[in-house]
Amino acid sequence: MSVTEAVHTRAHVDLAERARRVLPGGATHASRTYDPRIYVARSSGSRKWLIDGTELIDYTMGHGALLLGHAHPAIVAAVQEQVARGTHYGAAHPLEVDWAELIVSLVPSAEKVRFTASGTEAVMLALRVARAATGRDRIVKLQDHFHGWSDAVSPYLDGEGRTRFPVGVPEALGALTTVVRTDDPAGLESTLAGGDVAAVIMEPSGAHYGQLPLDPSFISAARAACTAAGTVLVFDEVVTGFRVAPGGMQSVLGITPEISVLGKVMAGGLPSGAVAGRADLLELLATTIAHPGTFNANPLSAAAGIATLQLVADGAPQRTAESYAVTLASEWTAALASAGVPGTIRRLSSILHIFLGDPSAQARIANAMRAEGIDILNTSAFCSSVHTIADLEQSVTAFARAIVAASTPN
Ligand SMILES: Cc1ncc(COP(=O)(O)O)c(C=O)c1O
C-alpha cells in the first residue's frame, strides 16, 4: 500500500480523530502537525513502518538523534539490560559517571558535565550558569537561531528589525534578551561592549543546523568579543554534537566555547540533554546554583548514551553518514536540474536542507516526499550510518517525483 492510501485507511483516520479529541491539534510537537498525519508503529535501521505495515525510508531520524539509525542492536541491548535492572534509582549510579567521562573525552569545551532531561532544559541551565558566573542578566542570541522553546531564547527580529515575542512570551523579556543579526559582527561587538551581557548563545553550524550557514569569521569575532567583555560563549550543539564529528561543530571550527549545550545523539534516541563546559563554571552547580530534575542522567538514557558514544567516538559512523549525504545531495541536485525545478540542496555533514525556489512548493515538499514513501523533518533530511544503496536509489526516484508534485498546484 502507498503512504497516500495508508493514511486514508480506517485505522489511520480513526487514530487521527481520537488524537484530535485528546491532544491539542491532534499533535504532540510543532513539527508533527501536518496532514494527513502518519502513525508509525515500528522502526528499524533506516526504515519505519506505519500501523498498517506500509514502509517508509526515514530521514527524520529521531529529529536528528539517531545517527546510528533506528533500534541499533548495541543500543537495544544496552537499554534492555538496563530496563530490567531499574529505570530510576533516586541516587547516583555508575552509568552517569561513565557517560560524563565519555562526553569529557570527546567534546573540547567539556571539562565537567551536568545532565538534564532535554536540550531545552540544557539551554535554560547554561544561561542560568552564565548569569550566576557573571552576575549579569542580559543574554544575546542570534536571529533565526533555534534553541528549543524556553522563553529566554524565543524573541526574534521582524522584517523591520523590531524585537518580537511569540504568543505567551512576555515582552518584558526584551530587556533581558537581545537578538543580533548574523550579518552584523559590529552590532554584536557593540552590544557586548557595555559589559552587561552574561552570555551569547548560538548554533555554531548556523541557524537550524546549517540551514542558514554562519560565516566562521563571525564566530571567531564572537569568540574574541566574548573574551574581551567577560561574556560566556555558549554553543548550542544539541543537533551538531557528536553528529558532525565526535567533538561536534566546535572541533570542526577549532573554536571552543565556555559552555556547550548537548542533546539528541548523546543519548542515542532516548531523552536527555547536557551542559558541558569549563570546570569553574560548572562547579557553580555544586555551590551557588541548585539544579534538580527528576530524570537528569536517568539510567536508561545513560545506558543508551554510553552505547552510542562508544560507537561514534572514532568518527567512523559520522563519516559513513556524511558520505551517504554527499551522494544523496548530488543526486537530488541533479534531479532538480533535470526536472527544471528551481532549488538547491544545502548540506552540513550528514544533514541535507532542501530549498525550493517556489515558496508554496517548499511548503508542500515534506508531504510530497511522504506520499512517495520518504519521511523528512520539515525540509531537512538527517542521514544515518545505516542508510543503504537501496535507500539511496529509492530516495532519488522519490525526490524526482516529489519535486514535480510539490511544484504542481493542486
Ligand atoms: C539547536 C537546537 N537546540 C535545542 C533544541 C531543543 O532540544 P529539545 O528538543 O531536546 O528540547 C533543539 C531541538 O530540536 C535544537 O535543534
Side-chain angles (χ1 to χ4, degrees), residues 236-312:
D236 181 341
E237 296 237 38
V238 167
V239 173
T240 51
F242 311 107
R243 173 176 280 277
V244 301
M249 200 68 205
Q250 58 198 270
S251 68
V252 174
L253 293 166
I255 300 174
T256 307
E258 275 79 29
I259 292 180
S260 305
V261 175
L262 302 169
K264 307 221 186 218
V265 174
M266 67 168 278
L270 268 73
S272 188
V275 173
R278 229 172 61 193
D280 60 314
L281 300 178
L282 272 281
E283 274 303 319
L284 291 171
L285 291 158
T287 53
T288 52
I289 306 173
H291 169 239
T294 300
F295 291 107
N296 296 349
N298 76 83
L300 269 195
S301 296
I306 292 165
T308 302
L309 296 189
Q310 284 170 342
L311 286 165
V312 305

Side-chain angles (χ1 to χ4, degrees), residues 118-120 146-148 203 209 236 238-239 264:
S118 69
T120 293
F146 178 66
H147 305 292
E203 290 184 75
Y209 28 94
D236 181 341
V238 167
V239 173
K264 307 221 186 218

Side-chain angles (χ1 to χ4, degrees), residues 15-234:
L15 263 179
E17 274 172 22
R18 283 171 52 206
R20 270 191 291 276
R21 269 179 242 130
V22 289
L23 304 170
T28 52
H29 188 291
S31 295
R32 298 182 208 140
T33 54
Y34 54 80
D35 280 313
R37 207 66 48 89
I38 59 170
Y39 284 94
V40 176
R42 188 168 72 82
S43 62
S44 177
S46 58
R47 308 262 170 157
K48 58 192 184 191
W49 289 268
L50 303 184
I51 49 175
D52 63 279
T54 299
E55 184 172 327
L56 288 105
I57 297 174
D58 189 30
Y59 293 107
T60 68
M61 280 292 145
H63 292 215
L66 302 173
L67 177 62
L68 302 172
H70 291 276
H72 186 284
I75 301 173
V76 171
V79 170
Q80 278 176 339
E81 195 179 311
Q82 185 56 42
V83 78
R85 291 165 177 249
T87 56
H88 199 303
Y89 302 134
H93 56 91
L95 296 183
E96 66 193 22
V97 184
D98 295 344
W99 200 13
E101 282 176 349
L102 272 164
I103 292 171
V104 168
S105 73
L106 294 174
V107 179
S109 79
E111 293 175 0
K112 293 211 166 174
V113 179
R114 173 54 69 90
F115 294 102
T116 63
S118 69
T120 293
E121 282 187 23
V123 167
M124 293 163 76
L125 185 61
L127 299 180
R128 171 103 39 115
V129 169
R131 284 171 164 152
T134 58
R136 305 170 183 174
D137 289 341
R138 283 180 73 203
I139 63 144
V140 167
K141 65 157 293 191
L142 305 185
Q143 171 68 347
D144 294 314
H145 284 219
F146 178 66
H147 305 292
W149 57 269
S150 68
D151 287 355
V153 288
S154 296
Y156 61 95
L157 301 176
D158 67 12
E160 275 78 53
R162 285 174 307 220
T163 306
R164 295 284 182 192
F165 305 85
V167 174
V169 175
E171 291 196 9
L173 266 185
L176 297 177
T177 298
T178 302
V179 187
V180 167
R181 295 167 55 103
T182 54
D183 58 0
D184 185 17
L188 178 64
E189 276 166 38
S190 66
T191 307
L192 297 191
D196 64 346
V197 176
V200 172
I201 184 166
M202 66 174 70
E203 290 184 75
S205 53
H208 300 284
Y209 28 94
Q211 263 175 47
L212 307 174
L214 193 54
D215 194 325
S217 69
F218 182 96
I219 308 176
S220 309
R223 174 62 285 178
C226 282
T227 304
T231 295
V232 174
L233 180 61
V234 179

Side-chain angles (χ1 to χ4, degrees), residues 332 335-336 339 341 354 356 361 364-374 376 395-408:
W332 280 1
L336 286 167
V341 171
I354 302 167
L356 300 182
R364 282 194 288 258
I365 188 64
N367 263 356
M369 289 288 275
R370 271 188 292 275
E372 298 296 334
I374 311 278
I376 58 174
S395 303
V396 172
T397 311
F399 184 75
R401 292 164 59 97
I403 52 176
V404 172
S407 305
T408 311

Side-chain angles (χ1 to χ4, degrees), residues 368-388:
M369 289 288 275
R370 271 188 292 275
E372 298 296 334
I374 311 278
D375 200 15
I376 58 174
L377 183 64
N378 303 320
T379 52
S380 301
F382 288 89
C383 301
S384 75
S385 59
V386 298
H387 280 94
T388 64

